[in-house]
Amino acid sequence: MKVAIGLTALAATMSLGSAASAQSLACGKPMTTDQKLQRVLDIAEITNVASAHAYYHGATLHQDEIEKVWSKRDDISWTNNTDRYSTRKSVWAFYVENLKNFPTKGAMWYHMLTTPMIEVAGDGKTARAIFMSFGNVSGVMKPGEPEAQWTQEKYGMDFIREDGVWKIWRLRTFVEFYTPVGKSWLDPKDNIAAVDTLAMDGKNPDGTMKAGVQKEAGATFFNVKPDEKKQFYRAYTTDREPELLPAPPKPYCSYSELEPF
């Protein structure tokens, strides 16, 4: 009984992403106590699934990650500042097969997910979440040339319930900077994610990486052709106005109401 009372209180007080959620509505109808409790459990599980991505990535276990915590659908997607992989085949090539081109010895990748805002659909079938992520990455691109970088980005993630279990469906990173340790992201030439994007060929004339191309110390995830290439997000520069992107998720009934990340 005490556990039930505690969970009920938690469901009543826990932030569910918006004022409308706080009114305990699901598809415009008042939620029952059981629905509130389920919502709390959903948010906890979704948080764990998002964190599993960070842990698997940090261990360079990308195949395990895709197979264990991603949806089995063919329309999973991954989008960064300039590249979108919008099918299971292309995500697999980008995230799993691509990693096989690089030695992972010495890699240390930390993408810490913080400040979650999670909105579960009123029908309970999908969920939308955003996170902030500050981290550091290090690794060896060439023998004798170790690298270390600071990173900052935001995540937009869609989740789908499959066989009663929450899975990652769509992931998008809004990359602010990848900057070598000892350098400043205030200087565009030292922010890998802020280099000129006018020519979307992956590199500048001087060989530096272009904005949004995911170059982590130890591996470069750009030598697989994306399904779509354009400037999806502009990385941090001192002349950029702040934007509320990704936008905090709002209450919704079914996924058909949303634009995919």
Side-chain angles (χ1 to χ4, degrees):
M1 178 62 73
K2 290 182 178 179
V3 172
I5 293 173
L7 285 174
T8 301
L10 180 60
T13 59
M14 184 174 184
S15 172
L16 298 177
S18 68
S21 289
Q23 296 172 5
S24 301
L25 298 176
C27 294
K29 298 179 181 179
M31 296 173 66
T32 66
T33 299
D34 285 346
Q35 287 176 318
K36 294 177 185 178
L37 295 178
Q38 184 61 53
R39 183 67 55 87
V40 173
L41 295 174
D42 288 340
I43 291 173
E45 184 177 341
I46 289 164
T47 302
N48 281 348
V49 172
S51 296
H53 155 67
Y55 278 98
Y56 278 116
H57 178 50
T60 68
L61 296 174
H62 291 184
Q63 181 169 338
D64 287 349
E65 178 190 335
I66 293 292
E67 292 177 343
K68 293 179 180 180
V69 300
W70 280 70
S71 168
K72 302 298 183 184
R73 295 170 61 104
D74 289 330
D75 63 346
I76 62 172
S77 67
W78 185 306
T79 306
N80 58 33
N81 286 21
T82 60
D83 300 341
R84 171 167 288 159
Y85 303 88
S86 54
T87 68
R88 187 172 195 83
K89 181 179 179 180
S90 61
V91 171
W92 185 272
F94 159 70
Y95 194 55
V96 178
E97 294 298 327
N98 197 12
L99 191 61
K100 297 176 182 178
N101 297 323
F102 298 91
T104 54
K105 186 176 182 179
M108 184 179 70
W109 300 338
Y110 277 75
H111 293 273
M112 294 169 279
L113 298 180
T114 72
T115 54
M117 294 187 70
I118 301 171
E119 188 72 47
V120 179
D123 63 12
K125 297 179 180 180
T126 63
R128 171 156 288 188
I130 62 173
F131 303 85
M132 289 185 176
S133 176
F134 184 82
N136 59 85
V137 295
S138 56
V140 179
M141 294 295 290
K142 298 178 182 179
E145 296 184 19
E147 295 185 34
Q149 300 168 344
W150 297 119
T151 75
Q152 184 159 302
E153 54 197 336
K154 294 169 287 185
Y155 278 64
M157 301 178 75
D158 286 336
F159 300 83
I160 190 167
R161 195 196 300 270
E162 291 183 350
D163 299 322
V165 179
W166 286 104
K167 300 287 186 178
I168 298 170
W169 184 6
R170 295 184 169 118
L171 186 154
R172 180 174 171 186
T173 56
F174 300 73
V175 184
E176 301 292 6
F177 61 78
Y178 271 72
T179 299
V181 172
K183 303 291 185 177
S184 173
W185 52 82
L186 297 177
D187 190 335
K189 69 178 177 58
D190 290 322
N191 178 3
I192 294 166
V195 181
D196 177 34
T197 58
L198 293 178
M200 305 295 288
D201 59 359
K203 290 187 178 181
N204 287 314
D206 64 358
T208 54
M209 303 302 297
K210 284 198 171 296
V213 177
Q214 190 172 345
K215 179 179 179 294
E216 297 192 30
T220 302
F221 300 96
F222 76 96
N223 56 352
V224 174
K225 185 178 180 180
D227 296 302
E228 185 178 2
K229 192 171 186 70
K230 68 178 185 179
Q231 186 171 322
F232 292 102
Y233 183 70
R234 183 187 177 198
Y236 172 78
T237 60
T238 55
D239 65 350
R240 189 198 71 178
E241 289 288 341
E243 295 181 88
L244 191 61
L245 290 175
K250 297 180 179 180
Y252 70 102
C253 182
S254 67
Y255 193 79
S256 61
E257 300 170 28
L258 302 180
E259 289 291 330
F261 272 124

